Structures are given as C-alpha cells and as structure tokens.
Amino acid sequence: QVQLVESGGGLVQAGGSLRLSCAASKRTLSSFTMGWFRQAPGKEREFVASGRWSGGGTDYGDSVKGRFTISIDMAKNTVLLQMNSLKPEDTAVYYCASSPLRYPPARADTYHYWGQGTQVTVSS
C-alpha cells in the first residue's frame, strides 16, 4: 500500500498563491503516476494535474492550465502543486492520489490510493 499525506492548504485572497505538498510513504509500481484532484461541495471530483516519478511529462486540467504547476521531488518522495493566480472557483478540498498506470485517463476511478485531502479556500 501507498500512504499519501497532503499539507499546505489554507485561506488566500483571489490572485494569491499556495503550494500544496503530498508526502508518499514509498514509490512502487502501484504509484507510477501521481495526481492532484479537487472536489467542491456538491460537485464531482475534478482532475487538476498529474506527473510521473520517472519523468514523462505532466498533464493539467483545462481550468488550471497556465496557473498551476505540478512537480516531483524523488529524493523526498514528495509531489508539489504550486497554485498561482488563484480564483474563488478554485475553492475545494484538494486530494493527492496515485495510479499504477503510466498515462491514466483524467478520472478519479483510475487512481487507487488517496490522501485525506486539504482544504483550499480562495476569498474574493
């Protein structure tokens, strides 16, 4: 099993920045791809970004392209999500997740392990 622990959420004004961190207990074949998802109240879980421990590029949801950046720190088994130019509609619980697939579809059901989530609130 892979344990994932997110941190870094909080309250920020619109236009501000936050950096989320996800610490993974280990890297295994079951965690080939690391992803970030978010879920706002009353909405489905939404794909935000993904990257791979071994490189191979990154992917982003349309709503965050150009504002969010995912990065992988292999030495620390950590996945970061730098969020800039935040908007009130970015308010959600953000989850870190891992998938055994190299290029999983941007759907929550293709990710097997999940963190507990961290709240991000953007005020207008």
Side-chain angles (χ1 to χ4, degrees):
Q1 279 193 339
V2 178
Q3 293 181 327
L4 305 172
V5 179
E6 304 98 334
S7 61
L11 173 65
V12 65
Q13 288 187 333
S17 299
L18 278 176
R19 187 175 73 169
L20 304 183
S21 179
C22 172
S25 59
K26 57 185 176 181
R27 284 180 277 130
T28 70
L29 291 176
S30 64
S31 61
F32 199 100
T33 296
M34 300 300 297
W36 286 96
F37 287 76
R38 66 187 183 186
Q39 189 165 19
K43 295 188 176 181
E44 292 187 354
R45 196 161 291 191
E46 176 189 13
F47 171 77
V48 174
S50 66
R52 282 144 281 281
W53 294 113
S54 60
T58 55
D59 299 291
Y60 296 92
D62 289 341
S63 61
V64 306
K65 282 181 181 177
R67 299 187 299 122
F68 290 12
T69 302
I70 187 172
S71 59
I72 306 286
D73 186 335
M74 293 184 66
K76 297 181 178 179
N77 278 5
T78 299
V79 182
L80 302 174
L81 183 69
Q82 178 66 41
M83 306 186 295
N84 298 328
S85 302
L86 283 162
K87 305 174 182 180
E89 51 264 43
D90 294 318
T91 295
V93 177
Y94 282 70
Y95 297 91
C96 176
S98 69
S99 172
L101 304 177
R102 183 174 180 86
Y103 293 105
R107 301 193 320 264
D109 63 357
T110 60
Y111 287 73
H112 294 183
Y113 295 106
W114 293 82
Q116 81 288 352
T118 185
Q119 177 71 46
V120 171
T121 303
V122 184
S123 63
S124 57

